[in-house]
């Protein structure tokens, strides 16, 4: 079961009230509805990247990347190819966004000018001057990041940062919801697949259900194959024409 992210008012205690009133409320409500309608984590992240460009003042491009420990980040959603270029490893193999490291400890990192600030060289080469990086979710070794980019320096002010934090709260909830849904769906598929394989063994080997399941488990351990994968092999072999 994935870690749950519960958002409370205290998480935004340092943010003053918005002056945008109903316009912002309506925009966030519409965004939340679109995120709620997604059915997988990948679709939620693609929707988040697209919405970020419309919601965050100053944003021209956006992407979502996943960092697994010391490995290279994986860009899993992007609005256009310049995002993939910005988030690809550099020529020396290092990632081009060292400011992402700060998201392990705080929810947002802002790069005001890639031409003058340390760590922004890779962006400057692409003509991207500003970045607003927002943490979506984190555990011990995995960090999921939403980053908005702009071609002008200092494109993201305090208002953009505040809106970004509210928006990512909705995205985090959508990711949790779709992850749980995906896991439950996979669990049901696995259960059905193992049930089919057990039934095939019962018929072929003249076993009862318990014996057939035990035989399946022993074969899985003996061959060092996941029970689900072994069950799929048995079902697929049974469905092949004679």
């Amino acid at each position: 079961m994935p870690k749950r992210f519960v958002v409370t008012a205290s998480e935004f205690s340092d943010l003053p009230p918005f002056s945008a009133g109903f316009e912002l409320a309506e925009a966030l409500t519409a965004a939340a509805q679109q995120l709620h309608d997604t059915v997988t984590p990948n679709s939620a992240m693609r929707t988040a990247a697209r919405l970020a460009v419309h919601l965050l003042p100053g944003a021209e491009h956006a992407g979502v990347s996943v960092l697994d420990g010391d490995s290279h980040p994986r860009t899993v959603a992007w609005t256009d190819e310049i995002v993939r270029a910005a988030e690809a490893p550099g020529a020396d193999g290092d990632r081009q966004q060292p400011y992402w490291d700060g998201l392990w400890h705080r929810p947002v990192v802002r790069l005001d000018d890639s031409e003058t600030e340390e760590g922004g060289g890779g962006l400057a080469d692409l003509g991207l001057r500003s970045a607003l990086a927002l943490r979506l979710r984190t555990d011990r070794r995995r960090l999921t990041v939403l980053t908005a980019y702009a071609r002008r320096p200092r494109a993201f002010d305090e208002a953009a940062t505040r809106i970004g934090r509210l928006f990512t709260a909705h995205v985090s909830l959508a990711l949790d919801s779709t992850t749980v849904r995906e896991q439950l769906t996979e669990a049901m598929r696995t259960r059905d697949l193992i049930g089919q394989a057990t039934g095939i063994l019962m018929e072929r080997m003249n076993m009862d259900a318990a014996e057939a399941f035990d035989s399946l488990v022993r074969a899985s351990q003996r061959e060092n194959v996941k029970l689900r994968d072994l069950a799929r092999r048995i079902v697929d072999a049974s469905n092949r024409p004679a």
Side-chain angles (χ1 to χ4, degrees):
M1 186 67 65
K3 177 182 176 183
R4 299 297 298 166
F5 288 79
V6 180
V7 180
T8 64
S10 62
E11 290 197 48
F12 302 100
S13 58
D14 58 326
L15 304 182
F18 288 92
S19 59
F22 286 111
E23 283 190 17
L24 176 62
E26 289 175 355
L28 285 172
T29 299
Q33 183 59 56
Q34 291 190 46
L35 289 165
H36 176 75
D37 290 340
T38 59
V39 295
T40 67
N42 284 341
S43 64
M45 289 185 283
R46 288 194 299 269
T47 299
R50 175 176 54 82
L51 289 172
V53 174
H54 297 286
L55 273 176
L56 303 183
E60 299 175 58
H61 318 276
V64 178
S65 287
V66 177
L67 287 73
D68 289 300
D70 297 328
S71 63
H72 293 313
R74 294 178 291 112
T75 303
V76 295
W78 56 92
T79 54
D80 38 55
E81 288 301 316
I82 197 171
V83 175
R84 297 184 70 186
E87 300 186 354
D92 56 1
D94 293 334
R95 62 172 181 265
Q96 298 187 39
Q97 312 78 14
Y99 51 86
W100 276 352
D101 291 336
L103 294 175
W104 290 102
H105 311 291
R106 56 186 186 272
V108 57
V109 173
R110 195 166 68 197
L111 182 71
D112 288 330
D113 192 344
S114 62
E115 289 192 356
T116 60
E117 294 185 48
E118 183 179 356
L123 296 183
D125 293 341
L126 294 168
L128 300 176
R129 298 286 296 276
S130 305
L132 180 66
L134 299 142
R135 183 175 66 202
L136 293 179
R137 64 199 309 188
T138 183
D139 55 30
R140 290 183 179 179
R141 293 189 55 81
R142 174 171 291 186
L143 177 67
T144 306
V145 180
L146 169 68
T147 308
Y149 301 94
R151 295 182 180 274
R152 64 183 180 87
R154 292 172 289 281
F156 303 109
D157 57 12
E158 290 299 322
T161 302
R162 295 195 297 267
I163 294 171
R165 288 185 62 185
L166 286 173
F167 173 59
T168 52
H170 289 292
V171 178
S172 295
L173 291 171
L175 283 175
D176 281 343
S177 176
T178 54
T179 297
V180 170
R181 190 182 312 168
E182 189 175 65
Q183 288 178 340
L184 289 174
T185 300
E186 181 60 25
M188 292 177 64
R189 288 174 179 167
T190 297
R191 183 196 63 183
D192 292 344
L193 194 63
I194 292 173
Q196 292 179 53
T198 300
I200 292 169
L201 292 179
M202 289 172 62
E203 180 180 354
R204 288 183 178 176
M205 310 298 292
N206 193 26
M207 299 175 172
D208 62 25
E211 291 173 331
F213 181 74
D214 286 344
S215 176
L216 195 62
V217 170
R218 289 195 301 271
S220 170
Q221 294 172 340
R222 184 175 61 251
E223 298 182 25
N224 195 26
V225 176
K226 289 182 179 179
L227 190 61
R228 175 191 59 198
D229 296 338
L230 181 59
R232 182 177 287 112
R233 277 164 42 185
I234 294 172
V235 172
D236 289 347
S238 177
N239 290 333
R240 291 195 194 103

